[in-house]
Structure formats: C-alpha cells, structure tokens
C-alpha cells in the first residue's frame, strides 16, 4: 500500500467516524476540510505544483482538517484534546506536518504555527463553525445565502454562536496574511462547493 493510500482522505474519514459519533462534529470536520483543502489547492497553484505533487499537498491539507478534532468527543478536556489524538496519529504513522498543525490549532498547546498549513487550519477552524451557524439561521439553511458582510455583522453579535471564538477568526486571518473579508468570502465559496456533503 502506498503512503498516499495509507494516509489518504478515506483513512482519515474512517478514523473520524470511528472516534466521533456526533453528526455535528463530523460535519464540522467536513466544513473545516472544505476551507482548508481549498487553501491547499490555492497554495499548490502558487507553488506551481501539478499531478502527484499537487495531489499530495491537497491530501495533506484535507486529512489534517478532517482529523483536527477527531479525538474531541472522547477527550474534550484541554488536558487531553488534541494531545491524545496526536499521540494516536503518531502511533499510526501519520505525517509530522499534520500532527504539528493539529497541535497548533489549539492555542493552549503552545505549539507555534509556522507553516502555511499550521496557519490555514487555525484560520479556518472557528470560521467554518461560524459560517455553519450563519447558514443554519437562514430560512433556507443554505450556505449559498450567506454573504461576507452579514457574517462580519454577526461576529459583533455576542449572543450569536457563543461557542465560536471571534478572536481566533480575526487572529487566524491576520496570521495567514489575508484580509478578513477576503478570508470569509473564500471560505464561504469553498463550503458552497461542498454544500451537499455539509447538508447546507
């Protein structure tokens, strides 16, 4: 079995399903994946990657996003998440870049976000959750009806989607070096392309 097929999207999904029963947590992983994989594809283009090299990079971004919270349901405490999951991923032989990015998405892990992947995962995690919440309050419950300006407005409403850390969204875009409005619009577009899978 090649490295790619051993550590590909299907394996990541299988691990996610094994550890996570909650439909909303699984959907969150898929929403984050939509955004992170789109950034991975854009990065591959920027680097001029094609064929297997492009596929490998996008696969790394995709699987990192799918697995970033896979241990959260079983180990939700700050003492355990994402450390338990990362140890399991190390045991299974998943790439170090993936494990480092997963550690880095939790501010309290004190893991510096150095690579583009590290920064993208952090920038997309809370935002994907917020965009899902924005879609679900629409009469249509569709991501297609979510627009960046209304998302910015809702971010100021402290009572809306209280669980989402607004500061992480703002800081994530800043670390990535992208304008917040552009980042929101980019992630909306990425999620629109996967709306059927996300149930949005």
């Amino acid at each position: 079995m090649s490295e790619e097929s051993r550590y590909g999207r299907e394996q990541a999904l299988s691990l996610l399903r094994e550890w996570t029963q909650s439909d909303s947590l699984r959907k969150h992983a898929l929403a984050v994946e939509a955004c992170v994989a789109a950034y991975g594809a854009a990065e591959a283009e920027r680097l001029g990657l094609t064929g297997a090299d492009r596929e490998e990079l996008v696969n790394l971004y995709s699987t990192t996003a799918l697995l970033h919270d896979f241990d959260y349901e079983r180990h939700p405490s700050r003492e355990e998440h994402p450390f338990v999951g990362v140890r399991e991923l190390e045991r299974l032989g998943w790439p170090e870049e993936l494990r480092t990015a997963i550690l880095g998405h939790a501010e309290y892990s004190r893991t510096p976000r150095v690579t583009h992947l590290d920064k993208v995962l952090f920038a997309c995690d809370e935002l994907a959750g917020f965009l899902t919440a924005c879609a679900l309050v629409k009469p249509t419950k569709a991501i297609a009806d979510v627009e960046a300006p209304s998302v910015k407005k809702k971010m100021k409403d402290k009572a809306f989607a209280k669980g989402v850390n607004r500061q992480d969204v703002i800081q994530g875009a800043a670390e990535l070096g992208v304008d917040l409005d552009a980042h929101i619009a980019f992630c909306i577009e990425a999620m629109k392309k996967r709306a059927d899978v996300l149930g949005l």
Side-chain angles (χ1 to χ4, degrees):
M1 202 186 253
S2 76
E3 284 295 290
E4 256 68 278
S5 57
R6 273 179 63 201
Y7 302 108
R9 188 170 187 272
E10 282 314 306
Q11 282 64 32
L13 276 172
S14 159
L15 203 51
L16 174 67
R17 291 190 197 110
E18 183 193 331
W19 282 60
T20 305
Q21 300 312 307
S22 151
D23 190 49
S24 63
L25 259 180
R26 288 179 179 187
K27 289 242 174 81
H28 171 65
L30 290 167
V32 176
E33 185 209 9
C35 304
V36 171
Y39 269 113
E43 181 68 355
E45 200 167 303
R46 189 185 72 79
L47 296 170
L49 301 180
T50 55
D53 292 336
R54 179 189 185 280
E55 222 170 283
E56 195 180 320
L57 187 79
V58 175
N59 178 67
L60 174 64
Y61 278 62
S62 186
T63 51
T64 300
L66 285 172
L67 294 170
H68 80 284
D69 274 348
F70 87 102
D71 66 343
Y72 185 76
E73 191 174 88
R74 294 186 190 178
H75 303 282
S77 75
R78 278 178 163 226
E79 286 70 44
E80 294 185 310
H81 167 71
F83 311 105
V84 173
V86 167
R87 279 198 299 274
E88 177 65 6
L89 293 171
E90 186 172 11
R91 187 184 73 77
L92 294 170
W94 286 81
E96 188 179 355
E97 307 99 298
L98 171 146
R99 302 192 316 262
T100 304
I102 289 174
L103 283 174
H105 94 277
E107 279 281 70
Y108 54 84
S109 79
R110 302 263 186 268
T111 304
R113 290 182 288 274
V114 178
T115 67
H116 184 254
L117 174 60
D118 298 342
K119 293 171 185 173
V120 165
L121 179 62
F122 179 71
C124 295
D125 182 21
E126 293 288 308
L127 180 58
F130 196 73
L131 293 177
T132 299
C134 290
L136 292 175
V137 294
K138 294 279 179 193
T140 53
K141 297 199 182 324
I143 188 72
D145 293 329
V146 175
E147 287 162 347
S150 69
V151 172
K152 285 277 291 284
K153 215 163 147 185
K154 281 206 176 316
M155 278 176 70
K156 294 191 176 101
D157 177 359
K158 299 277 194 294
F160 178 76
K162 284 199 286 254
V164 173
N165 186 327
R166 271 69 164 165
Q167 189 46 45
D168 281 5
V169 174
I170 295 160
Q171 188 184 329
E175 283 184 19
L176 198 50
V178 294
D179 173 72
L180 182 58
D181 293 44
H183 178 49
I184 291 169
F186 182 88
C187 289
I188 290 171
E189 282 310 309
M191 285 172 66
K192 272 190 203 171
K193 289 183 181 133
R194 307 235 185 140
D196 51 341
V197 181
L198 300 175
L200 299 172

